Amino acid sequence: MAKKKSSGVNKSQAIRDYYAANPKAKPMEVAEAMKAQGIDVTAQFVSTVKSNSKKSKTTRGRKAVSKKAVKKATRRGPRTSAASEVSLDSLLNAKKLVEEMGGVEEARSALSVLEQLMD
């Protein structure tokens, strides 16, 4: 697809600049002010630019992960088949533990602390 010829004015930047000077301005006011400057924009476009400029202040992309978290996430025991490792008795004991701890999340946090103590 062919590129549009640039009119020399970055409409989005002009809108952002106007909002920097007039933060309480409404989109319709901004569109009228841009028209007075010779920049043809709609109130909807102004709203879109304003919304996107707020998004750019937040972090984009993936969050940084510490090496410790990566190591913990990748640490696993030897692989064995699930059928030979988990018995009905083991599951019943795990269920009792979860009930005693007050829920699955509490049991997980307790097991995490236990794992750290055993290292």
Side-chain angles (χ1 to χ4, degrees):
M1 191 154 126
K3 287 186 178 181
K4 263 187 174 179
K5 286 188 178 181
S6 164
S7 65
V9 177
N10 186 333
K11 294 177 184 181
S12 298
Q13 188 59 48
I15 293 168
R16 286 190 291 268
D17 292 342
Y18 189 85
Y19 268 119
N22 306 296
K24 302 239 182 216
K26 304 263 186 226
M28 194 59 133
E29 293 174 37
V30 177
E32 290 171 4
M34 294 293 112
K35 192 165 195 151
Q37 294 177 8
I39 302 171
D40 187 33
V41 295
T42 63
Q44 180 59 45
F45 183 70
V46 172
S47 293
T48 302
V49 170
K50 182 179 180 183
S51 175
N52 287 340
S53 69
K54 288 180 182 178
K55 288 180 186 176
S56 67
K57 292 179 184 176
T58 61
T59 309
R60 291 189 183 180
R62 294 184 179 186
K63 292 182 179 178
V65 178
S66 69
K67 289 181 181 180
K68 186 176 180 181
V70 170
K71 185 176 178 182
K72 184 177 180 182
T74 58
R75 184 176 11 160
R76 295 194 177 141
R79 291 190 172 242
T80 59
S81 66
S84 66
E85 191 173 11
V86 179
S87 67
L88 181 59
D89 289 333
S90 296
L91 288 173
L92 291 174
N93 287 335
K95 182 181 176 190
K96 286 179 187 176
L97 175 67
V98 168
E99 289 171 354
E100 288 176 8
M101 297 300 293
V104 174
E105 290 301 317
E106 289 79 8
R108 282 185 183 157
S109 64
L111 288 172
S112 175
V113 171
L114 179 63
E115 182 182 27
Q116 291 174 358
L117 290 174
M118 294 179 76
D119 284 340

